[in-house]
Amino acid sequence: MTFSKAQDNVDVLDMIIFGGTGDLAMRKLIPALYMAFLHGNLPPSTRIISTGRQEIDREAYVAYVELHSRSFIAQENFNDKTWDSFVTMLGYVSLDVKATPDFDPLARVSRQGAVRVFYLSTAPSLFTTICTKLSASGLVDSRSRVVLEKPLGIDLRSAIEINEAVGSRFAESQIYRIDHYLGKETVQNLMVLRFGNSILEPLWRASNISSVQITVAEEVGVGSRAGFYDGAGAMRDMVQNHLLQLLCIVAMEPPTSLNADAVRDEKLKVLRALRRFKLADIARDTVRGRYTRGVGGSKEVPGYLEERDVPVDSSTETFVAMRAFVDTWRWSRVPFYLRTGKRMVRRSSKIVIEFTNPPFQLFHQCSGSISNRLVIELQPEEAIKLQIMAKQPGSGMEMQQVTLNLDLGSAFQQRRAEAYERLLIDVVRGRLTHFMRRDELEAAWEWVDPIIEGWQQLNEKPRAYAAGTWGPAESFALLARDGFAWVE
Ligand code: BG6
């Protein structure tokens, strides 16, 4: 695909990355920009200007990128010639955001008339300073865009502060709050599955659906990120954003168009309809967990408390399971079971829609469950599976569950772009649909905050689960109580 100036209305682009030597820039942003460039999705005159505290020049930065970022580009996509042209776009400005009086050094290298995208891949505590200094140095105009990387606060109050600070310099239509789950192919496909298929939509409601499960399981542990993670935990790191966004797409009403606000209005309604937790609900309907020593891959791995930089008295959870309700006409009394954790059996993200049983049992069940399920596998494989009942061959009329399996990886031969690549292209093209709006972010915190506070009030300690398992026993009990089980 070649970049279309007319369509996208950006001819000169300066992509300015704060945190330009950081982990995210090296692992995700630079590789995503390379891929976008490779496929002709960046304006030819693009410049990528990274900033960081390291006092290095452009050549040293390019060498740094070669060393730390290049290996994150899949071999089959790597092309020496393209890479050489790509690195000519790179620039570097050494900038200590807090200490420097202004961003004039940045203003001197950013081109007049360029559309400026500021990617804030720094601690959110720097967002206010960055926005103030960008504005003071004349770098912000009506065509500028700012991309905010998570975590967007640690609670509602801090999220409001960030939104206020950024909002005082940028209009809401210039602000791109990233939740990279919204850039995943299968997450975007969920909308098509729901609203592009007339056979599913009539079934998509409480009268036909008995429960919904959303699981985002990770095999990795906290790795080297404990410094950040211990202050967050699974609730803030995963549930507040990724899982709630998935829930919104499953539960929302059909938007009137794909216009960013039309879609975000519907997601907001879901967030506002989430039933608030009282203390008794928290004790009954949520499970916090924390991994202990166990197995990861095929080797022994340490427990969370033994990981580097985790305080000995940490009470942070690495796992959350919960039962939530969306109090709307469509979803009345349907439990939404959410589950996420680190160091689980394997990486597996899926949504399971469990349909109600037929009103009358005519046939004998042979084995296992008798309900129909739609299983949407998000990662690592992308698949849509429909579990239906079929007659077991033989003279009897016994039935058994079988699966219709649509493997999306083999159904489409086209390349599937990584989430960051897709989202960065959206930013360049000015498409806000797959980014969180301010009110969405705040509504998510409004729902999450009382749960975290409730855990503190109840002195709810994380339950132990061994690394390499599906989480603490209480998580299974949560579903068993309602007659359900996690679909692994
Ligand atoms: C990030 C979290 O937002 O998402 C990480 O901060 C987590 O803790 C990651 O590992 C998971 O993303 P993905 O795309 O690998 O499922």
Side-chain angles (χ1 to χ4, degrees):
M1 184 199 287
T2 49
F3 189 79
S4 133
K5 249 170 45 171
Q7 176 199 342
D8 305 312
N9 196 25
V10 173
D11 39 16
V12 183
L13 173 71
D14 280 355
M15 172 78 66
I16 298 166
I17 306 177
F18 287 86
T21 55
D23 190 51
L24 186 82
M26 291 303 112
R27 280 189 307 114
K28 299 286 186 192
L29 305 183
I30 297 286
L33 288 166
Y34 166 82
M35 290 301 292
F37 174 68
L38 176 70
H39 292 279
N41 288 325
L42 290 182
S45 64
T46 299
R47 278 174 47 192
I48 301 163
I49 306 166
S50 287
T51 77
R53 271 187 303 176
Q54 289 190 41
E55 300 215 352
I56 51 176
D57 60 14
R58 198 195 94 81
E59 278 61 44
Y61 181 69
V62 170
Y64 185 91
V65 167
E66 290 265 0
L67 190 65
H68 296 285
S69 191
R70 187 175 155 159
S71 59
F72 289 101
I73 298 167
Q75 200 56 41
E76 69 265 23
N77 296 321
F78 197 82
N79 168 324
D80 281 319
K81 222 170 126 225
T82 313
W83 179 256
D84 289 345
S85 324
F86 174 73
V87 294
T88 62
M89 294 175 152
L90 292 180
Y92 183 80
V93 175
S94 165
L95 209 62
D96 182 336
V97 165
K98 273 198 194 141
T100 183
D102 54 48
F103 285 175
D104 291 356
L106 196 56
R108 280 195 288 277
V109 297
S110 180
R111 292 164 296 177
Q112 278 297 322
V115 170
R116 299 190 186 99
V117 171
F118 306 107
Y119 198 113
L120 309 196
S121 170
T122 63
S125 54
L126 297 178
F127 287 0
T128 311
T129 315
I130 294 176
C131 291
T132 310
K133 290 182 181 173
L134 280 174
S135 165
S137 293
L139 282 154
V140 180
D141 62 32
S142 61
R143 295 175 77 208
S144 308
R145 292 153 205 186
V146 64
V147 186
L148 305 180
E149 189 49 62
K150 69 180 271 275
L152 287 168
I154 52 160
D155 54 15
L156 177 62
R157 198 173 55 82
S158 51
I160 291 176
E161 266 168 33
I162 293 172
N163 283 331
E164 289 290 328
V166 178
S168 68
R169 311 288 164 178
F170 293 89
E172 183 62 29
S173 59
Q174 296 176 284
I175 304 175
Y176 294 73
R177 296 180 190 81
I178 284 231
D179 180 321
H180 77 279
Y181 267 60
L182 296 180
K184 289 182 190 271
E185 184 66 49
T186 24
V187 176
Q188 298 190 355
N189 196 25
L190 250 180
M191 294 259 292
V192 178
L193 182 72
R194 279 203 56 198
F195 304 125
N197 293 290
S198 57
I199 58 165
L200 288 178
E201 188 47 29
L203 298 176
W204 212 266
R205 59 195 69 250
S207 45
N208 306 305
I209 292 177
S210 58
S211 75
V212 176
Q213 293 181 20
I214 302 178
T215 293
V216 178
E218 295 187 272
E219 189 178 339
V220 294
V222 71
S224 56
R225 297 170 67 231
F228 152 74
Y229 190 87
D230 197 67
M235 190 69 167
R236 292 186 175 101
D237 187 43
M238 299 292 290
V239 178
Q240 186 272 346
N241 35 70
H242 308 324
L243 274 90
L244 285 188
Q245 285 294 321
L246 294 178
L247 182 148
C248 283
I249 301 175
V250 172
M252 71 200 245
E253 294 301 313
T256 50
S257 75
L258 287 182
N259 167 281
D261 281 333
V263 172
R264 299 187 300 179
D265 284 347
E266 297 306 332
K267 291 201 304 185
L268 178 66
K269 286 186 205 159
V270 175
L271 292 166
R272 292 200 169 141
L274 277 169
R275 191 181 299 167
R276 301 292 184 252
F277 279 75
K278 303 202 183 73
L279 273 188
D281 307 324
I282 296 171
R284 193 190 54 233
D285 290 344
T286 71
V287 179
R288 299 179 82 205
R290 179 171 66 201
Y291 62 87
T292 56
R293 179 176 288 272
V295 180
S298 48
K299 55 180 197 316
E300 200 185 322
V301 292
Y304 180 71
L305 288 181
E306 300 157 301
E307 301 271 20
R308 183 154 53 95
D309 297 333
V310 173
V312 281
D313 58 348
S314 166
S315 64
T316 299
E317 80 283 351
T318 62
F319 174 97
V320 172
M322 61 198 303
R323 184 177 74 153
F325 289 94
V326 179
D327 284 334
T328 59
W329 187 296
R330 186 187 285 270
W331 294 112
S332 174
R333 291 192 290 276
V334 176
F336 282 73
Y337 299 104
L338 310 182
R339 172 176 66 157
T340 184
K342 294 205 182 286
R343 283 274 182 243
M344 296 179 70
V345 178
R346 59 174 174 273
R347 182 173 189 237
S348 166
S349 301
K350 62 170 70 153
I351 297 169
V352 178
I353 310 290
E354 180 133 4
F355 293 96
T356 50
N357 288 333
F360 177 68
Q361 290 298 344
L362 189 56
F363 305 105
H364 291 294
Q365 177 194 357
C366 185
S367 63
S369 161
I370 50 161
S371 71
N372 295 135
R373 288 196 193 114
L374 181 70
V375 180
I376 304 153
E377 295 191 350
L378 305 175
Q379 57 188 25
E381 266 75 52
E382 299 176 11
I384 297 173
K385 297 179 177 170
L386 184 61
Q387 299 182 341
I388 56 170
M389 303 309 289
K391 179 184 168 304
Q392 257 206 359
S395 56
M397 284 298 278
E398 295 193 329
M399 56 179 188
Q400 193 175 334
Q401 199 169 50
V402 286
T403 304
L404 290 171
N405 187 353
L406 170 61
D407 174 349
L408 289 162
S410 45
F412 296 98
Q413 298 308 316
Q414 287 105 311
R415 176 182 82 90
R416 303 167 95 68
E418 283 281 325
Y420 272 96
E421 179 187 345
R422 201 172 289 125
L423 292 174
L424 278 167
I425 294 172
D426 278 354
V427 175
V428 173
R429 296 187 173 171
R431 297 180 191 154
L432 277 156
T433 307
H434 301 300
F435 296 84
M436 278 189 292
R437 204 169 56 193
R438 174 179 180 157
D439 45 11
E440 267 184 277
L441 174 76
E442 293 179 3
W445 279 121
E446 252 175 65
W447 186 72
V448 160
D449 273 1
I451 303 173
I452 298 176
E453 282 160 24
W455 283 340
Q456 279 158 5
Q457 281 181 42
L458 294 166
N459 198 17
E460 188 71 45
K461 297 270 180 283
R463 318 280 162 144
Y465 64 99
T469 64
W470 288 114
E474 289 79 356
S475 151
F476 297 91
L478 180 73
L479 273 73
R481 201 177 65 195
D482 298 342
F484 296 112
W486 291 111
V487 175
E488 310 298 7

